[in-house]
Structures are given as C-alpha cells and as structure tokens.
Amino acid sequence: MADLLHGSNDSDQSENQETVKRNTRYGLILFTVYLCLYGGFVFMNAFAPEKMESFSIAGVNFAIIYGFILIISAFILALIYGWLCRLDVPASKSEDSK
Amino acid sequence: MIYEPSLIAVFIFGAIVAVTLGISFWFGAKAKSSSGFFAAGGNIHWFVNGIAFAGDYLSAASFLGICGMIAFYGYDGFLYSIGYLAGWIVALFVIAEPLKRLGRFTFADALDSKFQSRSIKLAAAISTLAVSIFYLIPQMVGAGVLITPLLGFPHYVGVLMVGTVVILIVVTAGMVSTTYVQFLKGSLLVIFSTLLTFLILQRGLSTSPKNDGVESHQFQVAGPFDDNQLKEWKANLTADDKSTLTSMTEGAWENKGYQKQDIPETKTVIYWQEYQIETGEFFIAETQYKKTNADGSVFVNGKPHGLGEGEADLYSVGRISKLPNDEKETGPLGITGFFKTLQESKVNLWGSETIKDSDGSKTVIYFPKPTAGNKVLSPGNHPKFAGIRGDKFYDKLNFLSLMLALFCGTASLPHILIRYYTVKDQASARKSTIVGIGAIGYFYILTLFMGLGAMTSGAMDVTNSNMAAPLLAKSISEWLFAIISAIAFTTVLGTVSGLIIASSGAIVHDLMGSFFKINMNDYMKVRVAKIASVAVGVIAIVLGILFKDFNVNYLVGWAFSVAASANLPSLIMLLFWKKTTKYGITAAIFVGMISSLAWILLSSDTYKGVYGLNPADAIVPFSQPGIVTIPLGFITLIIVSLLTQNSLKKQVTHETA
C-alpha cells in the first residue's frame, strides 16, 4: 500500500517508505488490541448488562472499572505507539528527526 | 427554572471573552496568507496543537451534555465519554499519519490527492458542509442554554452573541487564532474540571446538600403501605392543613396514579404519584409540576410562575435519599470511596411526564425515581439505553449502532481532520494526537465525577440537563460558576470557529476553487473564505435558534453518524485498498451521507421530536443509522470501484507518463 501514499505535493517529509510501513503496521496492531477491548465492552453492555454490576473491586463495580480501563488503556496504547515510532527506520541515512 | 444574573459572573465572563478576542486579534495581525488562514502555516507546536485538539473536541456537547446526562441518568452518560474517546484510537492508529502525508488544507484535498477529480471535491465539500452544519446546531443551542442562567438573557440572545463573536474571531484571523483560543480553552477546561472534581470529593456526599447555606426542598416519599395503611396516610395528609385530595382519573390523567392535593391556606397544589411495586406494596411520592395554559400563562405547583411574592418556581433537585449505614454526611472522600459510597446508597433520579388536557393546557409533572446506587453506576437508566436491559433485538442493535458511530465518527469530523494540517510533519501530528488523547481521556474521567457530583448536589434544574455542570459549580461557589460558565462559553466559541473554518475551507478550496474552477489569488481566497465564514455563521445562528428545545448530545450523535457514514469508508479505503477509484469514493460519500441523513429523518426519535408524530409509525426499525449506513458506504465504494477499474488503469498510466 505504500505506493498509494505518493500523493503529497509539497509537504516537507523526511520519512522513508520503511518508516511508513513500520508505523502503519504498529498502528494496525495496536488498533486491533483496542478494538477487542472496546468491542468486548460494547457487547457486554448490549447483551449482558447485568454482568457489569455483578461484582466490585475495592467497592467499585465492574462497569466503572471497565470504563476507566478503556480510557486509560487508550492513552497507554497511544504512548506505546509514540514510543515505537519515535525513531525513523535506519534504512535512511540519519536519525536526526525527533 | 428562573435564574437571576450575578454581577461577578457577568464580570468574569466578560473578562474571559475579552481575553479570547484579544488573542485572536493579536495573532490575526500576523496571518495574512491563505495557508495562514486555513492551516496556521503548518507552524503550530505539537503540544499546543494537542491541547487544541482537546479544545476542539471537548465541545458544548461533551462538557454540558455528558455531565448533564450523567447527572440525570448515571452511567449512561459515561458511555458517550467512552465512545467519544475510543474514536481517537481510530484517528491516531489508522488515519492521522497517512492523512497528513496526503493533503494540504481540507479533507477533500486529502481524498483527492490521488485522483484530481472534480466529483470527489464536490462530494467531499458537500459532506464537510453537511457534517459541520449538523455539528454546529448543538453548539449554538448550547450557547443559548448557557447564556440564560448566566446573564438572564433569552435563548436567542445567547445564540446571536456566540454567532457574532465567532464570526469576528474567524474573520479577523483564521486558523492561527482559533488554535490558540482552543489551546487556552482546552487548558482552562482541564484545570478547572480538576479543581471541581477535587472540591466534589472534599465535600463528600450528604443526604441534605446545602446551596448558599439553604437546604433544597425535601421531596417526600411514603411507603411501603398496604391498602389500609395507604388510606390512613392519605387521611392524615389532609387532616393537618385542611387540604383536599382528589384522585385524577379524567381524560389524559386516567390510569396514571396521580392524586391532586389542594392546600387553600398556602394556595399550593401538589400532585402525589401513587405506585405499586412488585411485592404488591404501595408507595406515594411528592412531585412538582409546571402547567402552561392555552392563554400562555404558566403556573408552578399551583402558583403563578415567578420569583416574587405569591409566585413559585420549580425546586432544584438531585440528592441522595439514603447513605450506607443511614449516615447523614460522609465528609471528604477518596476516589474509590466516592464510588463505593454511592454504590451502596439510594439516589433520587428524576423523570417527567407531559399531560395534555382537553382545555389546551399542558402539564409537565416531574417525579422522583428512587434508584439504587449500584443501578446508577451501571448502564441502562437513560430511556435511549433502557433497551439493553430488555430482550428486543432492535434495541440492542440501536445501542451497538450508536457505539459504532461514536467509534468511527471522530476520525471523520472535518474540523478535527483539518487540525492535522496545522503541524509541520507526521511526527508532530502523531505527538499532538497523543497529547490530545491524554487530555481528552483525563477530562472524560473527570466528567464521571462532575456528573455524579451534580446528581447529588441538590442544585439540578429538573427541566434542563445541559445546565448540570454550571449549576454544580454554582452550588460550590459563585466564582467557580462564573469561571466554568465562561469556559463553557469559550468552548462553544472555539468549536464553532473550528467548524466555520472547516466549512469555509470546503467552500473556497473545494467548491469554488476545484469544482467550479474559479481562479483566485491568495488575497481573493482569504476574502472569499471570510465571506463564506460570515454566511455559514449566519446559517448557524438561525438553526441554533430553531433547534432550541433539542438535547445537545442527541444532536451530536446525529453529526457523528453522518460523518462516519459519509467520510470514513472513503478515508479508510483510499489508504488501504489499491483498487479504490474516484467513482467509488464519490459514490460512497454521497450514499453514506444521504442514507444516514434519510435514516435519521425517518427514525422514531425524529418522528417524536421534530414532526410530533407517533414514533411507532417510523419507517426505520431503530434510530441510530451507523450500523447500517457505515457498512453501506464501504459496500458502495467496493462495488463501484470494481465496476470502474478501467478508469484506474488510465489514471496510473497518465500519472507515470
């Protein structure tokens, strides 16, 4: 799909194709992880809402805990992505971009 | 409820709006080129842009609507928070970087970068306009809602004010100033929401919340009774104050279980709601009402509506009816302690019922719904979500459809997409999205505390859930109320200006520049964009006044559905499927947009809310279109693309030549 991404006309890109491919792959993997978390949440709410209140951890019910997990994990996954993509793939000569 | 404007509130409010405008003029003096107007010259620092993402995204609907929904229905409002945030994952992991590589100014530029097709420009421009205007309506309605209690003006004045200020901001400076306005507002929102949450936890929970040192009206609920006890209780009720109790059985009141108590001494009327629970026992609960007669006169609880002598206004509501171990007050609570206590308490949520009499009068009765804390903190209390606790398949599908639209909608919103063009490269786009997700996620966690704090504050306006967050602040301090209201108002300003820029960009670049091929120099482009901004602003003002009575979050749900259906299939397929053709993209945008709009217009929610028709007659089986129209967009794109593969070959040979 990298050959699809040739359309930009005058933006100041320094990325090479390897970096683009790698970032896309990481993005899709992390996206799938989150999709499973979110999907699980939505389907549980739709088909087993009573399960969401059936038990508590430290007095806080599962509905709240799962909600917080979704929000916090979104941020953590975003940080992981940022960390994985922090450097360009060394196929290009330099790693000067931050 | 009737609100009296406070001087401090007006002053602080004016100061914040003035600072916002000042910033806009300051930066406006610096930006002259069209790239400066639309994309801030690609020069915004990623951190500023990230917080500005939060500023753009945390609109009136997020701040006012979600807090209000949580305050009135508990956990269900939080479902929106979760869905709105989840959408950012799609934006960051799938859309952000490829999109940044593709285009320069608008969503249409990006879609079109491969094909240079006029039809794509046209389709993308129309969908940008449609989504922006849909998204503008709730923002404008939110503005009117805010201005009423703050300054005591009628709704339309609020809408006019926002409209005018925003047009000024946009016309003077464009994207640079809106970015800084958004940055400022995003920061303020997060900081003051944190403060508010801290104060809620410090205050703890109480069965008799006080505002300005005065405890709000304590509504009585009596029971459980058997038949005889109920009769005895009623006899006692009327014995004390020589009042009379009448069973309401005539006309529209039939079978609703209301008992009307006339108290001549205080000229008060109270409707008692009698109901039987599963065990066969009876309860009887005090309600409050607002009656509008055919001649337009309004009465509340038997007296003329007003704040003067002999007049009455609706009581503020929202309190815990029973704390664990029958405590009266908990004192300061920790984060888990707050949820734990609430979960073991009993809370009075509020419902309402409208009864139309044959004499043309309309009575709205507001009644308490004692609800177990554990229920409040789990899904299914809001009428729109109640279906998930039933066993009707369509109700569950409706819920899935909404959650899908929220998930897919974020990455398809034009005013969010253009923010990717304000930073210099993909790495900055990525970093600002991460900052944005952090700020937005953190804020959404706070919404749960603010909403639940409002629910138990005793300060809620039973007629208007959108006011929950500002009223919660008012129950803590007048200053905080003024600041929170001003932030909410700038929230509206910021979001509206972003949307207007997105719309004017679509008009100038995509419609006039690319579709009609009108040649314009840079100066002309900015000129035309400013005229377009004024036009879109005026349309937004008019719609904001017309849609006054709509729930803001509800309208935003529509905008997300339309955005996701029209834009997402094209964006995703363009990035990930080589065989996508320009015809496929054009068809998918039109089909997604038209089908989702049509679905909304034919749904039971619209039948009830807009046309005043019987919702059971609606043509489509459930209200949220996403689960049908998003796949429909993908299917259309795939089929049309496969049918038009020839055009793609030509395109490729042309490009390589």
Side-chain angles (χ1 to χ4, degrees):
Chain A
M1 53 158 278
D3 56 336
L4 267 183
L5 305 172
H6 55 63
S8 72
N9 6 27
D10 64 346
S11 51
D12 47 348
Q13 305 312 332
S14 58
E15 287 180 316
N16 58 53
Q17 291 304 322
E18 291 304 307
T19 310
V20 170
K21 269 190 185 161
R22 180 203 63 188
N23 291 1
T24 311
R25 197 178 66 242
Y26 285 147
L28 290 181
I29 293 170
L30 292 170
F31 173 73
T32 313
V33 171
Y34 194 81
L35 186 66
C36 293
L37 272 175
Y38 184 76
F41 176 79
V42 171
F43 278 94
M44 237 179 119
N45 272 308
F47 295 101
E50 65 288 341
K51 284 258 170 19
M52 300 296 281
E53 55 184 271
S54 57
F55 70 95
S56 305
I57 300 169
V60 182
N61 76 13
F62 188 57
I64 304 268
I65 289 178
Y66 202 159
F68 279 7
I69 287 176
L70 276 175
I71 292 180
I72 294 165
S73 65
F75 185 56
I76 291 174
L77 290 177
L79 285 176
I80 292 175
Y81 180 66
W83 186 76
L84 288 173
C85 302
R86 74 197 183 285
L87 300 174
D88 281 345
V89 175
S92 69
K93 53 192 185 317
S94 72
E95 288 183 3
D96 51 347
S97 65
K98 260 190 187 176
Chain B
M1 281 168 63
I2 300 170
Y3 301 93
E4 285 177 295
S6 91
L7 210 60
I8 313 173
V10 175
F11 177 76
I12 294 176
F13 176 82
I16 292 185
V17 175
V19 168
T20 309
L21 276 180
I23 289 176
S24 145
F25 285 121
W26 167 260
F27 285 104
K30 295 183 177 175
K32 290 288 176 244
S33 70
S34 72
S35 136
F37 184 81
F38 292 112
N43 275 331
I44 305 280
H45 188 267
W46 55 268
F47 184 80
V48 173
N49 204 53
I51 300 290
F53 262 134
D56 261 331
Y57 199 60
L58 301 174
S59 66
S62 291
F63 184 51
L64 303 173
I66 293 180
C67 284
M69 234 166 143
I70 296 174
F72 277 58
Y73 304 103
Y75 191 78
D76 291 336
F78 194 50
L79 287 171
Y80 273 89
S81 293
I82 290 166
Y84 285 141
L85 182 76
W88 280 93
I89 290 295
V90 184
L92 173 66
F93 292 157
V94 186
I95 306 284
E97 289 174 56
L99 189 72
K100 175 72 186 159
R101 285 180 203 113
L102 288 179
R104 284 165 53 206
F105 289 132
T106 66
F107 163 64
D109 275 339
L111 274 187
D112 194 39
S113 59
K114 189 181 168 201
F115 302 110
Q116 283 82 45
S117 146
R118 286 171 73 192
S119 61
I120 291 185
K121 293 266 186 190
L122 178 71
I126 292 176
S127 98
T128 298
L129 281 175
V131 173
S132 298
I133 287 174
F134 251 94
Y135 207 80
L136 272 170
I137 302 171
Q139 312 302 331
M140 300 305 270
V141 173
V145 163
L146 269 172
I147 216 80
T148 313
L150 186 72
L151 307 177
F153 292 140
H155 180 271
Y156 74 89
V157 178
V159 176
L160 271 176
M161 274 177 63
V162 172
T164 315
V165 174
V166 163
I167 291 173
L168 261 175
I169 293 179
V170 174
V171 168
T172 47
M175 201 63 189
V176 186
S177 67
T178 58
T179 301
Y180 281 93
V181 168
Q182 293 298 45
F183 170 72
L184 192 73
K185 175 209 110 181
S187 322
L188 286 175
L189 194 58
V190 169
I191 291 167
F192 279 94
S193 300
T194 308
L195 178 65
L196 199 54
T197 303
F198 175 75
L199 292 172
I200 290 165
L201 294 175
Q202 278 301 305
R203 181 158 78 167
L205 298 164
S206 157
T207 53
S208 50
K210 291 186 177 66
N211 298 306
D212 292 334
V214 187
E215 195 188 322
S216 63
H217 183 77
Q218 176 85 281
F219 285 86
Q220 295 181 59
V221 181
F225 295 135
D226 62 26
D227 248 352
N228 287 329
Q229 284 171 317
L230 182 68
K231 275 186 194 132
E232 198 180 317
W233 185 88
K234 286 181 188 169
N236 281 337
L237 177 75
T238 47
D240 295 349
D241 50 12
K242 294 179 191 131
S243 61
T244 53
L245 199 62
T246 333
S247 237
M248 301 296 291
T249 52
E250 305 271 301
W253 294 82
E254 202 186 341
N255 293 330
K256 294 198 188 288
Y258 287 109
Q259 311 276 326
K260 184 182 183 187
Q261 184 190 14
D262 278 294
I263 312 170
E265 209 173 314
T266 53
K267 291 186 180 140
T268 307
V269 176
I270 298 172
Y271 287 101
W272 293 84
Q273 191 188 37
E274 190 181 306
Y275 56 94
Q276 204 172 4
I277 59 168
E278 288 134 4
T279 58
E281 291 164 314
F282 290 97
F283 281 84
I284 188 158
E286 182 185 351
T287 67
Q288 55 178 341
Y289 77 92
K290 184 174 177 181
K291 181 177 180 183
T292 312
N293 288 323
D295 62 6
S297 59
V298 180
F299 287 83
V300 170
N301 300 335
K303 295 175 183 167
H305 189 209
L307 294 176
E309 188 91 2
E311 296 177 325
D313 189 15
L314 290 167
Y315 297 112
S316 60
V317 302
R319 68 164 71 200
I320 291 186
S321 54
K322 193 169 172 289
L323 278 168
N325 310 322
D326 284 316
E327 279 179 295
K328 294 275 170 237
E329 228 168 36
T330 60
L333 288 167
I335 290 172
T336 51
F338 181 75
F339 291 122
K340 187 171 187 287
T341 311
L342 201 58
Q343 211 168 306
E344 292 163 5
S345 305
K346 213 164 187 176
V347 184
N348 273 350
L349 300 182
W350 283 77
S352 73
E353 181 168 32
T354 305
I355 298 171
K356 284 179 182 149
D357 273 310
S358 50
D359 63 357
S361 69
K362 189 181 88 177
T363 308
V364 187
I365 296 190
Y366 301 95
F367 54 88
K369 296 185 293 185
T371 311
N374 196 22
K375 277 269 176 299
V376 171
L377 295 182
S378 47
N381 291 305
H382 191 278
K384 293 219 169 63
F385 290 98
I388 60 173
R389 290 198 175 267
D391 45 15
K392 275 196 219 133
F393 182 64
Y394 278 143
D395 285 346
K396 292 180 186 292
L397 211 54
N398 193 40
F399 172 75
L400 294 179
S401 190
L402 173 69
M403 295 310 278
L404 178 71
L406 297 184
F407 191 54
C408 298
T410 303
S412 330
L413 289 173
H415 71 291
I416 297 295
L417 290 175
I418 56 169
R419 199 154 280 298
Y420 281 116
Y421 304 118
T422 56
V423 288
K424 77 176 188 308
D425 53 22
Q426 287 88 315
S428 304
R430 185 165 63 230
K431 282 188 251 180
S432 36
T433 315
I434 297 170
V435 171
I437 290 180
I440 294 166
Y442 174 67
F443 174 80
Y444 280 149
I445 287 180
L446 299 183
T447 57
L448 190 59
F449 291 94
M450 290 191 283
L452 294 173
M455 177 192 274
T456 54
S457 67
M460 293 301 92
D461 178 345
V462 74
T463 62
N464 193 336
S465 62
N466 295 328
M467 282 308 301
L471 288 177
L472 165 70
K474 198 175 185 181
S475 79
I476 293 173
S477 113
E478 190 78 17
W479 278 84
L480 206 55
F481 167 64
I483 295 171
I484 294 281
S485 299
I487 294 170
F489 192 79
T490 42
T491 299
V492 176
L493 291 185
T495 312
V496 172
S497 34
L499 286 165
I500 290 184
I501 297 218
S503 315
S504 74
I507 292 173
V508 174
H509 283 288
D510 307 332
L511 274 185
M512 300 183 65
S514 307
F515 186 71
F516 292 114
K517 304 246 180 237
I518 301 169
N519 251 330
M520 288 181 289
N521 61 25
D522 230 33
Y523 174 77
M524 275 285 288
K525 273 187 187 166
V526 174
R527 225 20 222 282
V528 175
K530 288 180 176 178
I531 295 169
S533 304
V534 175
V536 175
V538 171
I539 294 174
I541 291 174
V542 173
L543 290 174
I545 294 171
L546 288 179
F547 279 75
K548 174 181 169 229
D549 293 329
F550 273 73
N551 175 293
V552 288
N553 225 354
Y554 176 80
L555 292 166
V556 171
W558 281 359
F560 269 68
S561 298
V562 177
S565 310
N567 300 349
L568 193 76
S570 318
L571 269 174
I572 297 274
M573 295 311 265
L574 178 75
L575 299 174
F576 296 97
W577 195 46
K578 285 182 194 174
K579 293 184 174 171
T580 308
T581 67
K582 59 182 176 183
Y583 302 105
I585 289 181
T586 312
I589 293 176
F590 277 123
V591 168
M593 178 173 64
I594 293 167
S595 63
S596 55
L597 281 173
W599 187 287
I600 288 166
L601 293 177
L602 297 176
S603 72
S604 59
D605 280 355
T606 321
Y607 267 54
K608 192 170 156 219
V610 187
Y611 316 135
L613 296 173
N614 180 4
D617 295 340
I619 295 167
V620 293
F622 51 91
S623 297
Q624 294 291 340
I627 209 162
V628 176
T629 54
I630 298 171
L632 186 67
F634 277 104
I635 292 170
T636 309
L637 189 143
I638 292 171
I639 293 178
V640 175
S641 292
L642 288 177
L643 290 175
T644 53
Q645 283 301 302
N646 286 338
S647 75
L648 195 64
K649 281 179 198 124
K650 256 184 253 160
Q651 178 85 24
V652 171
T653 39
H654 174 75
E655 266 180 23
T656 47

